[in-house]
Amino acid sequence: MSVSRTKNPRVVTTRTLTTMKRMGERIAMLTAYDYLVAKYLDQVGIDIILVGDSVGNVVQGHETTLPVTVDDMIYHAKAVKRAVKNALIVVDMPFMSYQTSIDDAVRNCGRVMKEVGVGAVKLEGGEYIADIVRHLVKIGIPVMGHLGLTPQSINKFGTYEVRAQDRREGAQVLRDAKVLEDAGVFAIVLEKIPSKLARNVSASVKIPTIGIGAGPFCDGQVLVVYDMLGLTEEFKPRFVRRYAELADILRGAFRTYIGDVKGKSFPTMKESY
Ligand code: KIV
């Protein structure tokens, strides 16, 4: 499947994802914040590219995602959009761009859809944002949900530890998933919750669940692209599988370049005009 997908990739829409869940085909999602990474992801047949507000951590160097603005998201999403032919692009709506009112949500999500031309937005939160989600979906803005560890609420949680380990919070996550499905989300990210709970949620809704640190029973998986490439070296939670060690490769290349410049072996006459 993956080989033919690479040669002849399909255009992924929100409807494709529902079909994938029904057919038991896993959904592969990664983040991207720039043109080149998005181009390579799209070339090899990624299903969804998330322009995550994790841009605040891994690109901008902030401690949390809270300082990210709608303008930041639009800037990065436009770069990603220029590279992508087939993947569904989903843009994270940043902290305080949709929680404040339906009007704010419409204005800010509307800007992202109109100015960038992406397929969908992602909002963090459960029951308490259901009315906002319902309205956005009604006016034609597809919404992906995000439950469990929701990094925009870090100041409420006080920690990035696994969420919903007790029954009460587990029941709330399940309830939130059903309410969001009823409000019209086309998929839900489940972040850092026990795999048993993620399995239960995935079996209880018809829309796909996309896990990050939520175990193998979700309908798809997502990782932050710089984590899986080994660029965020100090960040080593057990759910991040490293598919490359790019930090070492980058340092090696930079050291060699510095040595070549200082040793006067770069550039040669062949590399000159
Ligand atoms: O911002 C982000 O990268 C995310 C993923 C971790 C799901 O929301």
Side-chain angles (χ1 to χ4, degrees):
M1 186 67 188
S2 59
V3 174
S4 64
R5 283 264 342 251
T6 307
K7 279 193 188 143
N8 184 21
R10 68 191 149 184
V11 173
V12 179
T13 67
T14 56
R15 287 186 69 177
T16 317
L17 304 176
T18 320
T19 310
M20 287 170 79
K21 169 155 183 155
R22 215 178 44 244
M23 306 298 279
E25 181 185 345
R26 288 287 201 252
I27 297 163
M29 168 162 139
L30 283 170
T31 65
Y33 320 98
D34 69 291
Y35 175 84
L36 280 179
V37 170
K39 184 174 93 169
Y40 298 134
L41 288 177
D42 198 52
Q43 276 176 355
V44 298
I46 196 82
D47 297 307
I48 308 175
I49 295 179
L50 172 67
V51 187
D53 62 351
S54 50
V55 72
N57 307 110
V58 297
V59 177
Q60 299 174 337
H62 292 298
E63 284 280 315
T64 72
T65 57
L66 271 58
V68 176
T69 65
V70 175
D71 285 337
D72 291 338
M73 296 311 298
I74 289 177
Y75 173 87
H76 289 280
K78 278 183 172 172
V80 167
K81 167 74 181 170
R82 284 182 206 113
V84 173
K85 294 188 172 69
N86 297 300
L88 176 70
I89 304 174
V90 179
V91 177
D92 251 342
M93 294 308 298
F95 182 58
M96 286 299 124
S97 67
Y98 59 92
Q99 293 95 336
T100 39
S101 68
I102 291 183
D103 282 353
D104 286 348
V106 169
R107 188 172 324 106
N108 289 319
C109 297
R111 273 194 69 196
V112 168
M113 299 298 288
K114 211 172 158 81
E115 293 178 32
V116 189
V118 292
V121 295
K122 176 162 81 61
L123 311 187
E124 294 183 8
E127 264 180 324
Y128 61 96
I129 60 157
D131 287 343
I132 293 170
V133 170
R134 192 169 285 108
H135 190 76
L136 291 171
V137 174
K138 195 157 62 187
I139 63 169
I141 300 181
V143 178
M144 176 180 272
H146 185 153
L147 297 173
L149 175 62
T150 45
Q152 291 177 14
S153 304
I154 182 59
N155 290 312
K156 179 174 135 195
F157 297 146
T159 157
Y160 288 105
E161 286 309 304
V162 181
R163 302 298 315 170
Q165 302 206 73
D166 61 71
R167 269 190 176 202
R168 193 194 51 78
E169 201 184 332
Q172 183 64 49
V173 169
L174 184 57
R175 195 157 52 243
D176 284 339
K178 289 179 178 166
V179 170
L180 286 181
E181 177 178 42
D182 181 61
V185 299
F186 65 89
I188 303 174
V189 167
L190 297 176
E191 180 163 354
K192 243 180 155 187
I193 60 171
S195 52
K196 204 170 151 198
L197 174 61
R199 171 155 57 179
N200 192 3
V201 172
S202 304
S204 304
V205 293
K206 290 203 173 62
I207 50 169
T209 57
I210 318 268
I212 174 164
F217 307 112
C218 296
D219 303 300
Q221 296 293 326
V222 58
L223 286 174
V224 169
V225 75
Y226 292 169
D227 293 343
M228 60 89 78
L229 291 175
L231 281 170
T232 49
E233 289 181 301
E234 312 77 25
F235 186 60
K236 286 184 176 158
R238 79 159 85 149
F239 68 83
V240 173
R241 185 181 291 181
R242 295 263 187 92
Y243 288 84
E245 293 295 346
L246 286 199
D248 288 339
I249 292 175
L250 290 191
R251 267 192 298 265
F254 298 153
R255 273 196 200 105
T256 307
Y257 169 76
I258 293 168
D260 287 355
V261 171
K262 299 216 177 271
K264 303 181 185 165
S265 68
F266 175 80
T268 60
M269 283 317 288
K270 265 186 151 175
E271 290 161 322
S272 307
Y273 298 97

